[in-house]
Amino acid sequence: MTVTQYELSHLDALEAESVHILREVAATAERPVLLFSGGKDSVVMLALATKAFWPARLPFSVMHIDTGHNFPEVIAFRDRTVGELGVSLVVARVQDDIYAGRAVEDTGPGATRNRLQTITLLRAIGEHRFDAVFGGARRDEEKSRAKERVFSFRDEHGQWDPRRQRPELWQLYNGRHRRGEHFRVFPLSNWTELDIWQYIAAENIALPSIYYAHRRSVVSRDGMLLATGEFVEPLPGDRPFEALVRFRTVGDATCTGCVESTAADAPAVVAEIAATRTTERGATRGDDRISDSGMEDRKKEGYF
């Protein structure tokens, strides 16, 4: 009798783990929601969720925390994708919290609404009574995210305490919580940026066009290239120039940089990422440069 050895590939193993996490939450949480901005990680997470529950529709809504400072290509992609899948989209707008006086917008050069997303996120979670929020964060992105559990416990104020996180042995997750508490759940925790792009290439997953090389007017600030436009205007001393660029991550347009690149498709991006030694957040997210503990401080307040 011949015994056939069966082994999962690296990507298949990651996919299986993520599908298990998505199904575990759907089976145990009362009101889960998946954060979907149109960025590559949330796109992959949505694709995994679609596969996890096929042929049924997703058993939860998707939600976008909208700063109002978006790349038009990404918002168009977001709306087209949720329309094609027939899922319910909840849009929580930072502008609404500014109008209501719950958030105060920074002004002046370098001002961004990125930190204000925490206020809007916590408001939306409370209003909709979500008890599990899927996020696309990965441990390789940033040192404070490396501390995260897959099931990240948040107290009644939505805050994160790294000392109160629960052990996760043998892929067993403890989702018990009291009313008002919730979990941020990260199905992509063990993926890397390279894994994400290899999966995008293998599964032929569509992304917003700005993830691939295109010509755009940019300015150089703080070692990053920022795309000029409605939300980033040249300052005195800036010298805008046109370059062939792509975005490695997508966030608030005021603090998300791009990189010079000729990668016009997913296989080319895979080759480019395989040779880089800087994470996408470290290279292109100005909001992570406020201090060495900037991300951790924001997470303790309730950030993603």
Side-chain angles (χ1 to χ4, degrees), residues 14-257:
L14 288 172
E15 179 189 79
E17 179 186 54
S18 297
V19 165
H20 167 66
I21 293 165
L22 287 156
R23 289 173 176 168
E24 182 77 8
V25 172
T28 58
E30 292 184 11
R31 294 181 63 84
V33 69
L34 185 147
L35 293 175
F36 181 68
S37 64
K40 70 180 188 308
D41 296 309
S42 66
V43 170
V44 167
M45 187 168 58
L46 183 59
L48 289 164
T50 302
K51 183 175 288 191
F53 301 104
W54 186 90
R57 289 191 174 186
L58 291 185
F60 41 75
S61 300
V62 301
M63 179 167 66
H64 181 206
I65 306 303
D66 184 358
T67 66
H69 293 168
N70 303 296
F71 294 100
E73 303 94 325
V74 179
I75 295 301
F77 178 88
R78 179 202 72 183
D79 294 341
R80 183 169 64 251
T81 300
V82 297
E84 290 172 353
L85 292 177
V87 298
S88 173
L89 171 66
V90 176
V91 180
R93 294 179 172 84
V94 169
Q95 187 65 56
D96 292 342
D97 291 294
I98 294 173
Y99 285 149
R102 291 183 292 263
V104 178
E105 186 170 16
D106 292 335
T107 57
T112 174
R113 291 183 174 183
N114 212 47
R115 191 168 190 135
L116 302 185
Q117 291 180 92
T118 299
I119 297 168
T120 305
L121 173 63
L122 295 179
R123 172 178 60 80
I125 290 173
E127 286 179 354
H128 295 277
R129 296 181 290 110
F130 294 131
D131 59 347
V133 182
F134 292 110
R138 309 186 320 269
R139 289 182 176 132
D140 77 315
E141 289 182 276
E142 198 272 339
K143 57 188 178 183
S144 69
R145 285 186 166 170
K147 297 179 180 179
E148 281 280 25
R149 299 288 195 263
V150 173
F151 275 46
S152 178
F153 174 74
R154 304 299 171 109
D155 65 19
E156 64 274 18
H157 304 295
Q159 297 178 333
W160 175 70
D161 184 347
R163 296 168 298 181
R164 294 186 62 197
Q165 301 305 306
R166 301 169 183 180
E168 295 179 341
L169 305 176
W170 308 292
Q171 290 188 312
L172 297 175
Y173 305 111
N174 180 357
R176 294 181 180 178
H177 62 281
R178 294 189 293 266
R179 184 178 298 275
E181 300 170 340
H182 71 277
F183 284 87
R184 310 287 172 83
V185 183
F186 303 110
L188 305 180
S189 282
N190 292 326
W191 296 56
T192 66
E193 183 184 10
L194 182 58
D195 295 329
I196 292 290
W197 277 103
Q198 287 176 331
Y199 192 77
I200 289 168
E203 297 289 317
N204 195 28
I205 295 174
L207 290 178
S209 59
I210 65 174
Y211 275 107
Y212 300 109
H214 59 286
R215 301 205 71 85
R216 185 181 288 261
S217 175
V218 298
V219 293
S220 179
R221 289 185 195 165
D222 193 25
M224 296 191 307
L225 296 179
L226 294 178
T228 61
E230 179 182 359
F231 307 115
V232 177
E233 297 182 355
L235 300 174
D238 280 342
R239 295 183 178 180
F241 62 96
E242 191 173 273
L244 188 63
V245 300
R246 70 174 188 85
F247 288 82
R248 290 177 65 184
T249 183
V250 170
D252 191 300
T254 60
C255 61
T256 303

